[in-house]
Structure formats: structure tokens, C-alpha cells
Amino acid sequence: MQPGTHVWPHTGPTNCRLRIHLGLVVPPEGCRIRVTNQTRRWEEGRVLVFDDSFEHEVWQDASSFRLILIVDVWHPELTAPQRQGLTPI
């Protein structure tokens, strides 16, 4: 994500998944994400996990780019029959 980027508040299409963000290149200041009423910062080599069906937004106010690996996984509260009835994410 380039400096000066703001991803406006939005929600994901389903609550059947969790979204995992792994910080690969993270400037020390200026990068943050808000999910509902909690705001967090990424750290290199650390993960953030959240349900993106909740409202969230991102700010990239740092002077250099940010690189995050994003992985989607099934929500752990889904049963095997429920997952089989859904299309892959």
C-alpha cells in the first residue's frame, strides 16, 4: 500500500471467514487498521486476525510503502457440513 492511502470504512461479503494479515514490510509509524471500535498497528513478522464482516478501515500515513500478506481461512465456528455447503473462499 502506497503512502497517503485511506481505505474507507467497509465490510467483507461474509462472516464465514477470518482474514489474516502478516506484516512483511511495515514502516514504524503511520500504518493502522480499525475494526469496529479497535484500532491496531501492523508489525513486521506478526499477524493480525479479524472477521472482515465487521466494519473496518485502513490508513497508510507513513512516508514509505507497506506490504502485507493476506490469507483467508474458514471461520473456526463453522462445522464441516457447513463448510461443505459453501463455495471455497
Side-chain angles (χ1 to χ4, degrees):
M1 186 172 283
Q2 294 298 321
T5 302
H6 177 213
V7 179
W8 293 95
H10 64 285
T11 58
T14 180
N15 65 351
C16 293
R17 69 178 183 203
L18 294 181
R19 183 149 276 188
I20 300 170
H21 284 194
L22 171 62
L24 299 176
V25 177
V26 182
E29 296 293 327
C31 302
R32 61 194 191 281
I33 182 170
R34 177 191 59 80
V35 180
T36 63
N37 62 353
Q38 293 185 19
T39 301
R40 303 260 171 105
R41 299 182 184 280
W42 290 274
E43 296 179 43
E44 288 185 13
R46 306 238 5 200
V47 297
L48 290 174
V49 181
F50 63 98
D51 180 338
D52 80 336
S53 69
F54 292 103
E55 184 182 87
H56 55 287
E57 69 181 309
V58 173
W59 297 269
Q60 166 55 344
D61 297 327
S63 59
S64 59
F65 76 95
R66 171 185 66 86
L67 181 62
I68 302 294
L69 174 67
I70 299 173
V71 178
D72 291 333
V73 297
W74 289 117
H75 196 291
E77 293 180 8
L78 287 175
T79 65
Q82 288 172 322
R83 286 192 307 267
Q84 290 172 352
L86 297 168
T87 58
I89 56 174

